[in-house]
Amino acid sequence: MVTETTTRSIPLADVVVDEELLAAAHEALASGWWSTGPRVETFEAACAEFFGVEHAVAVSNGTAALHLALLACECGPGDEVVLPSLTFVAAANVVRHAGAVPVFCDIRGPEDLNLDPEDAEAAVGPRTKALLLLHYGGFPCDMDAVTAIAERHGLVLIEDAAHAPGSTWRGRMCGTLGRVGCFSFFSNKNLPVGEGGLCVTNDDDVAERLRHLRSHGMTSLTWDRHRGHAHAYDVVAPGFNYRLDEVRAAVGLVQLGRLEERNAARARIVERYRERLGGVEGLVFPFSEASPDEVYAHHLAAVLLPEGVGRPGVQEAMRSRGVQTSVHYPPIHHFSAYADAPTRPLPATEDVAGRLLSLPLYPHMTEDDVEGVGEALVTALARTGSAAR
Ligand SMILES: Cc1ncc(COP(=O)(O)O)c(C=O)c1O
């Protein structure tokens, strides 16, 4: 059963609610054990197998995953973390919560919205501890270049893989290419749960710190004590309550089993978009040079509007035709809270900032939906004076 969306209304993202999901949630609720327990353990084991890693640590959301990743890699006061400004603000927020300083780097350009390795290296200074990279829209950033930078400067690589569950780089899963990979299971993500997150790592010490920090720094969980695996606990660090609960883990397990098929459906829809809109003058589809040998999660259908087109007018015109759009992302250095961040010129980011537009994308979009979005965009561009064909 697909959730009903009103006719002519095409949301940015959408979820499917069916019997299997409802049954999984119901079973978890009916079990009477709701906080972290056996379903979280099963979900973590399934994630570790899917991503091919030693450790998968489930947490309450993607922001918590990023926060814990920084702390587990011992980023703190006195450290700087280099990250693109064109990412979700949570990445910079958690750097600050860790007591470190975010230093923004540029992207490569309109065709490649991932960080520019050359500029990232230029942003590295004596205090730089980590590079926190994003795989924009599910397209891996240049991991060869980024890994070489990390090795040259002794930096920790943390991957924000919130857009990239199932994406590969040279056949290896995004999220497993650095010290820690972080995922989000927010409702609009490829693996939607509502709220939820995950850290993956092959580093035993990092995994132990992640597990402690997600639950107050305690050395055992209530679940461990309930099933008699522990009777007492120590507190080894001032941690948090970033735990995932059983109902979400049960839903997550079902969604994990559907991820690859859903990613493939997203890829087909993006292809349809490219066919429908490829002839629109000045409209850019980033990442057109993606490799046929890799898998891409296609979290977003992001385009760049033709230069000089007023985005708010386009968004409003599309909205009036029932099509929701968004922007991924307003650059972080434009936000008031980051006005005092160390400034570096970010010309490629500035260049795309006003042109980015995310079109609706979810695995059960129909051809009619894609046509509706395409038509709404072309009409909006024509109205706003662009040379759309
Ligand atoms: C790139 C990126 N990083 C981090 C996050 C934070 O994840 P969450 O919303 O689960 O805290 C998101 C989700 O919105 C995201 O898109």
Side-chain angles (χ1 to χ4, degrees), residues 60-66 87-91 134-135 160-163 182-189 194-197 299 328-329:
S60 47
N61 54 66
T63 308
L66 290 168
T87 186
F88 186 50
V89 69
L134 170 72
H135 301 297
D160 182 345
H163 295 180
C182 303
F183 296 92
S184 163
F185 306 137
F186 184 62
S187 323
N188 67 7
K189 294 293 187 283
E195 300 288 355
H299 175 55
H328 295 87
Y329 291 98

Side-chain angles (χ1 to χ4, degrees), residues 260-275:
E260 287 175 298
E261 173 198 316
R262 298 254 168 102
N263 283 351
R266 285 172 177 272
R268 286 194 294 274
I269 293 159
V270 168
E271 200 42 48
R272 304 287 309 161
Y273 270 134
R274 285 178 186 264
E275 283 164 18

Side-chain angles (χ1 to χ4, degrees), residues 17 33 69 129 149 172-173 187 210 214 226 296 300:
V17 184
W33 188 268
K129 172 88 180 197
I149 295 169
R172 292 166 61 208
M173 289 273 183
S187 323
L210 289 169
R214 82 166 159 186
H226 174 77
Y296 301 105
L300 300 174

